[in-house]
Amino acid sequence: MRQESVTTESDPTVHAWGRWEGAYVSAVDRARPTQAVELWADFAGPTGERRRARGFWDGDRTWRLRFSPDVPGTWTYRTTCSDSSDSGLHGQTGSFTCTPYEGGNPLYRHGAVNVATEGRYFEHADGTPFFFLADTCWNGPHLAEPEDWVRYLSDRAAKRFSAVIFTAPHFRGLAADADGRTAYSGREQIEIDPVFFRRLDRTVDAMNDRGLLAVPLLLHAGKDTERNAGHHLPQDQAIALARYVVARYDAHHVLWNLVAEAEFHGWGARYWQQVARAVFANGRNHPVTLHPYGMDWALYSFLDEPWMDVVGYQSAHGDNEAYLRWIPQGPPSWSWVLHPPRPFVNLEPPYEGHLAYHSGTPFDAATVRRHTYWSLLSSPVAGVGYGGHGVWGWDDGTGTPFAHESTGKSAAWHEAIHLPGSTSMRHLAELMASLPWWQLRPAPEILAAQPGLEDARLTVVASRSEDGSISIVYAPRGSRATLRLGVDESPVRSATLIDPASGDRTPLDAPAGGGEWAVPLPNGEDWLVLLER
């Protein structure tokens, strides 16, 4: 038996909210461990904290444990193995030192991201609100060369994205990663390939180390290909694969996206309830969400499931009347009042550059912004996803994304990262950083007129802080905004016009008294109006 750590033996330390790792060699020579073998460790903190972490097999005889300490001081641990009779993994003990973190990474400075006590947004362990702004890069972690991954993450961090959505196993038509490997082989009794996940380790480490929350998709259930584990694998093997991923990355800063594009109603709801309960049977350290099909509302089937922490949805890539009205007039705009309260996040609005299902025209930056602000302001503000055509599939620019020919030819990823909509997301993040966004609630009552009744593309959305001190209104390209100023409210102290494409702010003459106020929008582009009382 030998033990290794991510730090040197002479200085076994890790900073708070970092990743400690221990490696152990089993006494049993198994080419592949059975799924019945489980390794756990119980950790004791310096002031009486008790934590538990699941280990995972990492090839040959090696097993690993990962743990993220939250309190500085000395931590001790003891292992438990379900195969205690002969594995040699049972009853191992050790200790390490957790030091205070002194850098600027918000994940390490403020701690793990979870759902706030209030229930409608995210916050760090120390109570600092966390605005979820995720870029979609399904295949980047598997296909990117190390230097390219650094280039991508540097761009997204500079644009103030706070998360990255990706797939943990291989995804859809992707035959293998850049090294020719897949996450597993077999079907009735899968065999995990740990080398595949060692590559993923490096890319997930890089996300967290740049302050980006990792959002791994554990399973994809689409029926378009047998590559989709959530569709092709039997339930027990889908559970085994998801458990493995959770064990491997539970010490990282993550939000679990359990399964995408599955049947979430009737028998499907019962099926995925069983999967989730099994995967998170021993509790969870991070929030969990689902990724439904476009315009599919999964919440009602999972309303009472305790593991369902975040209401994820997909407004998808259509542009007909039904798609245009679904966010501001559909379930996202009214279901948020249900209890228990949860954050609502549109994980997949239209991808910039992706061809629209109905018109066949590519979504431009203004259209992406429209769906983004509709999503944010039609429910209590928590966050939103963004996708750039060429980035989400990590494409090389020579054709259409794999298994998505109808989406249109895509630019190479290194060109697509510069799509103007991604810069609009930076301005969104800067706007939210200047506001108590976690206090904002939908406020359609402050609109004196709704242009969207005649043309869905012109739908105006509004939100207001709970104390009424801040109101924010979004008017899409070509629309207009007429506001109702209540006589029983405090006077408007300042009014500001904000260009969401550039972030530029222009002061407006604050309206006096009550009545209606037609906001003087200067041209036919989209605008934000910020009122402060």
Side-chain angles (χ1 to χ4, degrees), residues 19 66 105 107-108 140-142 149 153 164 166-168 196-217 245 248-256:
R19 296 174 294 279
R66 290 174 178 167
N105 187 322
L107 296 178
Y108 303 145
H142 307 303
W149 192 238
L153 293 179
V164 177
F166 62 98
T167 180
F196 175 94
F197 285 100
R198 287 177 206 154
R199 178 189 179 89
L200 188 60
D201 287 351
R202 296 188 291 271
T203 55
V204 176
D205 286 348
M207 291 180 214
N208 282 178
D209 290 345
R210 284 163 179 77
L212 294 162
L213 184 73
V215 188
L217 176 66
V245 177
R248 190 156 191 134
Y249 300 107
D250 208 35
H252 288 74
H253 293 270
V254 302
L255 184 154
W256 301 120

Side-chain angles (χ1 to χ4, degrees), residues 218-304:
L218 303 183
L219 301 165
H220 195 283
K223 298 179 181 180
D224 54 336
T225 171
E226 289 188 354
R227 307 299 304 179
N228 290 334
H231 164 60
H232 178 61
L233 294 181
Q235 187 183 63
D236 65 329
Q237 297 305 292
I239 291 169
L241 176 61
R243 278 180 172 170
Y244 182 87
V245 177
V246 169
R248 190 156 191 134
Y249 300 107
D250 208 35
H252 288 74
H253 293 270
V254 302
L255 184 154
W256 301 120
N257 194 350
L258 176 65
V259 59
E261 298 181 339
E263 172 56 61
F264 289 137
H265 309 280
W267 69 268
R270 294 187 292 274
Y271 182 94
W272 292 109
Q273 287 168 5
Q274 293 169 1
V275 171
R277 292 168 188 171
V279 172
F280 303 109
N282 295 285
R284 59 204 183 282
N285 294 321
H286 307 286
V288 180
T289 191
L290 301 173
H291 194 117
Y293 280 109
M295 292 177 62
D296 182 25
W297 196 247
L299 172 61
Y300 303 147
S301 297
F302 301 91
L303 189 62
D304 298 323

